[in-house]
Amino acid sequence: MVHEDVWQRKKLLRREALACRRSLSAQTNRAFSEAIEERLKELDACRKAKTFFAFAAMSDEVQLYSLIEKALVEGKRVALPLIVGKGVMEAVRVRALSDLAPGAFDIPTVREDRREIVDPKSFDCVLVPGAAFSRTGARLGLGAGFYDRFLSEKAPQAQRIAVAFSCQLMEDIPVEAHDVKMQWIVTEKERIVCR
């Protein structure tokens, strides 16, 4: 009964947050994404990272392509998600943005002939997308558990940095035992240290 109530609350919050994210025009998304990338570049956990896990965004998510490109030019090792099964993802190294192709759920990933699996234990930080976040670090994903499993089982040592638009911040997000909390949240307006 309690689990069902939490599930319903999460479903409603997810719908509300995703509607807000989708309501941003392409121009606003681009401007906000650029502001977020600038804030990420100033964050020590990102700036000093030698190896990090990012994401190739869906069209309504924060776009990190400029940040990824800059990191590659600087010689950093960057990996992106590769969906390999139900709720399971691996990390694949990206050497150039031209290596990207549509993957599972139409989310870009490294094309098959260029894939090199990266050990998640080598990540200094993970940039985490989601539907909604609270200032205390609670994250509401899209419901499949990919990031919760990945972060807790494969990359527990990495700094967890949520990347979102300010409209995705919610006062209270229900949390279950398996939900992994964020350490930072970066929006177009601010950097939040989660407590």
Side-chain angles (χ1 to χ4, degrees):
M1 186 64 149
V2 173
H3 175 73
E4 181 67 24
D5 179 52
V6 169
W7 185 82
Q8 284 296 337
R9 284 177 50 215
K10 283 184 170 185
K11 186 177 172 182
L12 290 172
L13 282 174
R14 184 179 294 117
R15 187 179 307 145
E16 180 184 329
L18 292 177
C20 178
R21 191 173 84 184
R22 286 184 196 115
S23 74
L24 299 175
S25 70
Q27 183 178 0
T28 301
N29 178 304
R30 193 167 36 257
F32 286 1
S33 292
E34 287 171 8
I36 290 167
E37 285 182 325
E38 287 307 310
R39 289 188 187 285
L40 285 168
K41 288 176 194 172
E42 296 165 1
L43 188 64
D44 275 353
C46 257
R47 200 168 39 78
K48 294 178 178 177
K50 294 195 180 349
T51 302
F52 71 91
F53 188 72
F55 59 91
M58 293 185 277
S59 62
D60 63 339
E61 286 182 309
V62 175
Q63 305 296 305
L64 297 175
Y65 296 107
S66 298
L67 181 80
I68 293 168
E69 199 157 42
K70 184 178 186 297
L72 292 172
V73 167
E74 291 173 353
K76 294 181 186 243
R77 216 163 83 153
V78 182
L80 298 174
L82 173 66
I83 306 302
V84 294
K86 185 174 180 174
V88 181
M89 67 182 180
E90 294 289 343
V92 289
R93 185 169 183 179
V94 61
R95 295 176 187 277
L97 293 179
S98 59
D99 289 343
L100 298 182
F105 308 108
D106 217 21
I107 300 169
T109 190
V110 177
R111 65 179 203 254
E112 197 168 352
D113 64 320
R114 299 286 293 161
R115 288 182 189 157
E116 172 192 337
I117 300 294
V118 178
D119 181 359
K121 299 273 188 278
S122 68
F123 296 145
D124 299 309
C125 70
V126 176
L127 303 181
V128 186
F133 301 91
S134 75
R135 290 179 173 276
T136 59
R139 172 183 176 269
L140 179 62
L142 299 183
F146 286 105
Y147 277 88
D148 290 317
R149 279 186 206 86
F150 185 84
L151 292 168
S152 65
E153 297 170 10
K154 297 182 179 183
Q157 80 294 340
Q159 289 280 306
R160 299 177 304 278
I161 305 167
V163 181
F165 300 119
S166 57
C167 69
Q168 294 175 259
L169 291 177
M170 302 265 172
E171 197 62 41
D172 182 45
I173 292 175
V175 176
E176 296 176 273
H178 64 268
D179 293 327
V180 175
K181 291 189 97 174
M182 301 295 103
Q183 293 162 300
W184 292 88
I185 301 171
V186 179
T187 75
E188 76 278 7
K189 295 180 180 177
E190 60 188 324
R191 283 192 310 265
I192 301 163
V193 181
C194 302
R195 306 250 182 246

